[in-house]
Amino acid sequence: MSIRTRIAIVGAGPAGLLLGRILDTHGIDYVIVERKSLEYTLGRIRAGILEQGSVELLERLGLGERLRREGLEHRGIYLQFAGERHHIDFEKLIGRTVTVYGQQEVVKDLSRAHQAAGTAIYYEAEDVALDGIESERPRVTFRCRGEDVLIEADYVVGTDGFHGVCRPSIPDLEVYDREYPFAWLGVLASVRPSTDELIYALHADGFAMHSMRSMEVSRLYLQVPPDENIDDWPDDRIWEALHRRLGVPGWTLDEGEITDKSITPMRSFVASTMQHGRLFLAGDAAHIVPPTGAKGLNSAIADVAMLGEAIAAGYRGNPEPMSSYSRRALSRQWKTQYFSRWMTAMLHRDDRGDSSEYDYLAQLGQLRYVVESEFAQCSLAEQYTGLPYGL
Ligand code: RFL
Ligand code: PHB
């Protein structure tokens, strides 16, 4: 089978699905190709926090109805260290907020909107490959339910995540990356959150975080070594570590049934370009951050917000936004990289090497500076709630 469309989108994660909805508002036709099944993409538990700009974009696209009803707007976060918990009030500091709404829910809303619009999405596509990205007619080929499919497009957009096929199709691509000597063990628990807003805690044993998905479901994380085996963490051990690292006098952490448990390694990664010929990259396909700043999903949303408008401008006869997309997206991304690395370094214990105790005490100094300085808090608030898109 052979298909002709304007934009071939590879990957139906949040970036690919959202780009499709943006293109719909401009009447630009596209086809989406996804390696996994619809059920699989709906079941992935990942990010939980939306920047204010992400919320506003979803609302503008008509995707805000359930988000407004079920999302939990948070005016700040708690930073905890040395047994003290401090509130950083973004709303008071800079008049901006974030919203707790699971990535799973964003993907569900996007998938429903695509179903209603009758979008062509090829799920369970095998052997997805790109061809001719330096030509006028780039192609995407794959097999779907035993049939060979060829898509001929004007442009290909790689929203196929970190392990996708699009980024490796760029010849001589340079990449910049950094690994961290720790990972996050994350659990979902069926229990009302014990906090009204997220708690980011540095403890002598390592980082811990209390997040949530709803008023009935808590999301909790613990710093663990990168090669940790999940089988070594029975529920009792997880709760015990969470109580120790998150505990402050006069506060209790309520326990509930753990319904999901996983370990995620941490890395920072940026590709040197987000465009080659007629291939554009967006989201995790181009860059990864450690999750401490809650920036992965929001960066993917920012990329496609910029790219969708750039493509629309291109079809209206203005090629400039498309040619400057990579530079603009990377400029925003490098600021986000720095923020995520800073939050990660400030809040995790690195106990390798001789300077471990020194580093920990310096981190406590940094945290104390942040909670004592309104300037530092404004900077954190500005970055956490989201930098503007370079449109
Ligand atoms: P995705 O979500 O990885 O989607 C890529 C899609 O492409 C498909 N695919 C292919 N399709 C066709 N052909 C191929 N060859 C393909 N290869 C792959 C995949 O099946 C998939 O459907 O990338 P996208 O859309 O760029 O979205 C990025 C976000 O998913 C990611 O950045 C966030 O989840 C990161 N993240 C967080 N981000 C935040 O903004 N706030 C958070 O609070 C936050 N917390 C997190 C996180 C990520 C985590 N994990 C598990 C990595 C917490 C965790 C634990
Ligand atoms: C989450 O709720 O999954 C979450 C929240 C904030 C982060 C990372 C993950 O920084």
Side-chain angles (χ1 to χ4, degrees):
M1 180 170 53
S2 165
I3 300 165
R4 177 78 184 97
T5 189
R6 282 176 154 181
I7 314 294
I9 300 175
V10 183
L17 293 172
L18 184 61
L19 178 64
R21 294 308 296 164
I22 296 170
L23 295 178
D24 278 329
T25 65
H26 295 285
I28 297 168
D29 62 277
Y30 60 93
V31 170
I32 305 181
V33 182
E34 164 62 48
R35 178 160 67 179
K36 302 282 191 190
S37 67
L38 171 63
E39 296 66 41
Y40 185 92
T41 63
L42 289 172
R44 272 189 297 231
I45 300 162
R46 286 178 153 194
I49 291 283
L50 293 175
E51 292 175 355
Q52 184 164 322
S54 301
V55 172
E56 287 163 0
L57 176 68
L58 292 168
E59 285 184 337
R60 270 203 308 282
L61 293 168
L63 292 154
E65 195 255 327
R66 202 163 64 93
L67 167 59
R68 252 189 315 274
R69 198 158 24 93
E70 296 178 18
L72 306 171
E73 187 176 16
H74 283 191
R75 56 182 295 143
I77 56 169
Y78 295 98
L79 283 183
Q80 183 174 317
F81 57 96
E84 301 165 23
R85 187 174 295 166
H86 299 265
H87 191 235
I88 312 292
D89 191 334
F90 305 153
E91 170 94 60
K92 187 169 112 219
L93 290 159
I94 60 161
R96 294 177 73 76
T97 63
V98 292
T99 297
V100 172
Y101 194 65
Q103 178 168 331
Q104 246 181 322
E105 308 309 320
V106 175
V107 170
K108 203 182 288 172
D109 293 345
L110 284 163
S111 299
R112 279 195 193 138
H114 279 295
Q115 252 158 15
T119 304
I121 308 185
Y122 291 86
Y123 284 100
E124 296 174 69
E126 293 166 51
D127 302 328
V128 179
L130 271 52
D131 184 29
I133 54 172
E134 289 165 1
S135 76
E136 300 272 293
R137 277 276 178 278
R139 290 171 296 280
V140 177
T141 55
F142 58 96
R143 283 181 68 73
C144 196
R145 295 194 185 84
E147 192 179 357
D148 286 320
V149 185
L150 164 74
I151 303 179
E152 266 197 322
D154 295 344
Y155 302 98
V156 176
V157 180
T159 50
D160 51 348
F162 186 64
H163 300 288
V165 290
C166 291
R167 190 182 64 250
S169 311
I170 300 182
D172 304 322
L173 183 74
E174 284 190 58
V175 299
Y176 309 100
D177 64 350
R178 183 174 204 281
E179 296 211 346
Y180 295 82
F182 28 79
W184 276 16
L185 188 164
V187 299
L188 269 184
S190 306
V191 58
R192 186 183 174 84
S194 303
T195 178
D196 57 342
E197 296 188 338
L198 272 55
I199 306 168
Y200 288 81
L202 172 63
H203 183 273
D205 290 357
F207 171 78
M209 180 163 77
H210 191 328
S211 179
M212 62 193 75
R213 285 292 175 276
S214 67
M215 294 315 282
E216 292 82 41
V217 177
S218 298
R219 178 79 166 143
L220 298 135
Y221 293 99
L222 285 169
Q223 173 187 346
V224 294
D227 49 4
E228 198 74 343
N229 184 348
I230 194 89
D231 297 333
D232 292 337
W233 286 86
D235 295 1
D236 286 354
R237 184 177 175 203
I238 293 174
W239 286 116
E240 197 245 322
L242 287 168
H243 282 294
R244 203 172 43 251
R245 296 190 200 178
L246 288 171
V248 285
W251 178 83
T252 43
L253 172 65
D254 291 329
E255 295 185 16
E257 188 200 346
I258 292 183
T259 57
D260 186 90
K261 210 191 281 195
S262 64
I263 293 185
T264 311
M266 289 177 135
R267 64 153 55 91
S268 297
F269 175 96
V270 187
S272 59
T273 183
M274 292 171 67
Q275 182 203 351
H276 181 79
R278 287 185 171 242
L279 169 67
F280 291 84
L281 301 178
D284 278 14
H287 42 66
I288 299 279
V289 285
T292 327
K295 289 294 168 219
L297 170 62
N298 291 298
S299 298
I301 292 175
D303 285 352
V304 296
M306 290 187 259
L307 183 57
E309 294 309 319
I311 291 172
Y315 281 109
R316 287 195 305 266
N318 174 12
E320 196 285 326
M322 275 177 105
S323 31
S324 64
Y325 162 72
S326 174
R327 178 185 55 71
R328 289 181 294 125
L330 284 172
S331 165
R332 186 178 191 277
Q333 178 55 211
W334 276 114
K335 296 172 209 159
T336 300
Q337 288 284 328
Y338 184 82
F339 176 67
S340 303
R341 195 190 69 171
W342 174 71
M343 287 284 280
T344 303
M346 181 167 69
L347 287 161
H348 290 72
R349 274 219 78 170
D350 182 354
D351 50 17
R352 303 161 307 159
D354 298 338
S355 63
S356 164
E357 205 52 30
Y358 169 89
D359 291 342
Y360 177 57
L361 294 170
Q363 286 166 245
L364 293 178
Q366 171 78 79
L367 281 159
R368 191 155 304 284
Y369 167 66
V370 171
V371 303
E372 287 173 1
S373 161
E374 198 170 308
F375 296 107
Q377 287 174 47
C378 284
S379 171
L380 194 161
E382 183 183 31
Q383 297 179 85
Y384 195 93
T385 59
L387 296 172
Y389 304 159
L391 288 175

